[in-house]
Amino acid sequence: MTPPDLLLRALHDAGNPPLRPLPDRVAELLRKLDAPPRLAAHLRAVHDVAHWLVEWLEERQPALRFDRDAVLFGAATHDIGKTAHVGELSGPGSAHEEAGRALLLAQGVSAELARFAGTHAAWTGADIGIEDLLVSVADKIWKNKRVQELEDLVVARLAEASGRTRWEEFLAFDDVLGVLGDGADQRLAFQAAYPVRRAH
């Protein structure tokens, strides 16, 4: 199988259990950038978790105002800077964050949407919105990683919007994250099935 075929497979393989496809605009951008197949698989996994999160919020938190499309786009592109910093797909590093934001801006993506590439790993800034927090949560829970500080920030926003206690919101949020975390092994296996490096 040639590398472009692997990228296309990562973008379109249903997965088991099935993962939602990335938005067409994002899939086209990943093809244009000749993205590593593993990056496409990772973005699919995080995007799918973000879908579950926003659907749960829309059902449970009708008073919470957030931009659903921005969350989904942010989840689908948050690591796009790893097309330039491929080593960060298999090792630590944060160079991909600002590189991703710059790359998206250069591709005509609005600053409002490009920001997630830079904010998904830093959620304590004054200008961080609920959308940024949700992208960050999706980027953790896809592999069942729990970050208390991040989850507490989301719970505070949920309690503020609903008028319920933080404890009530914590219990509900903890439950949904537990359910999403249960699918981590399958998502990790899906991602691991694709190579990090592009073999040209």
Side-chain angles (χ1 to χ4, degrees):
M1 181 175 287
T2 61
D5 290 336
L6 279 174
L7 175 57
L8 288 175
R9 197 173 105 201
L11 289 170
H12 300 291
D13 179 14
N16 184 24
L19 297 174
R20 291 169 180 86
L22 293 172
D24 290 343
R25 180 182 184 190
V26 176
E28 180 182 329
L29 182 55
L30 291 173
R31 287 191 298 270
K32 179 179 178 181
L33 295 170
D34 191 23
R38 181 162 297 172
L39 176 59
H42 170 67
L43 293 174
R44 291 250 333 260
V46 176
H47 174 258
D48 190 69
V49 168
H51 254 284
W52 288 106
L53 278 173
V54 298
E55 287 173 2
W56 177 81
L57 281 171
E58 287 170 340
E59 183 178 319
R60 175 168 169 83
Q61 293 278 358
L64 181 68
R65 298 286 173 249
F66 69 98
D67 187 335
R68 177 186 210 274
D69 292 338
V71 173
L72 297 178
F73 186 87
T77 59
H78 72 283
D79 272 349
I80 202 160
K82 291 182 180 180
T83 57
H85 298 277
V86 178
E88 293 183 12
L89 271 170
S90 56
S94 59
H96 72 277
E97 294 162 18
E98 283 310 313
R101 186 194 315 253
L103 186 156
L104 289 170
L105 291 170
Q107 295 295 322
V109 175
S110 71
E112 184 68 17
L113 291 177
R115 78 180 195 267
F116 297 104
T119 63
H120 68 274
W123 46 78
T124 57
D127 57 345
I128 297 295
I130 186 65
E131 294 86 359
D132 304 89
L133 296 175
L134 294 173
V135 170
S136 297
V137 168
D139 189 36
K140 299 299 182 192
I141 205 64
W142 80 275
K143 60 183 177 184
N144 202 22
K145 182 174 182 181
R146 303 293 298 264
V147 180
Q148 195 62 52
E149 177 192 29
L150 173 58
E151 294 174 22
D152 287 346
L153 291 169
V154 175
V155 165
R157 303 283 181 108
L158 300 182
E160 183 181 340
S162 70
R164 292 185 284 261
T165 67
R166 285 192 184 201
W167 180 244
E168 288 175 282
E169 294 299 353
F170 165 78
L171 291 174
F173 195 52
D174 185 63
D175 281 349
V176 75
L177 294 184
V179 170
L180 290 172
D182 286 344
D185 287 347
Q186 292 94 334
R187 290 187 292 266
L188 284 162
F190 178 82
Q191 176 180 289
Y194 294 95
V196 172
R197 298 283 175 183
R198 299 166 291 219
H200 291 295

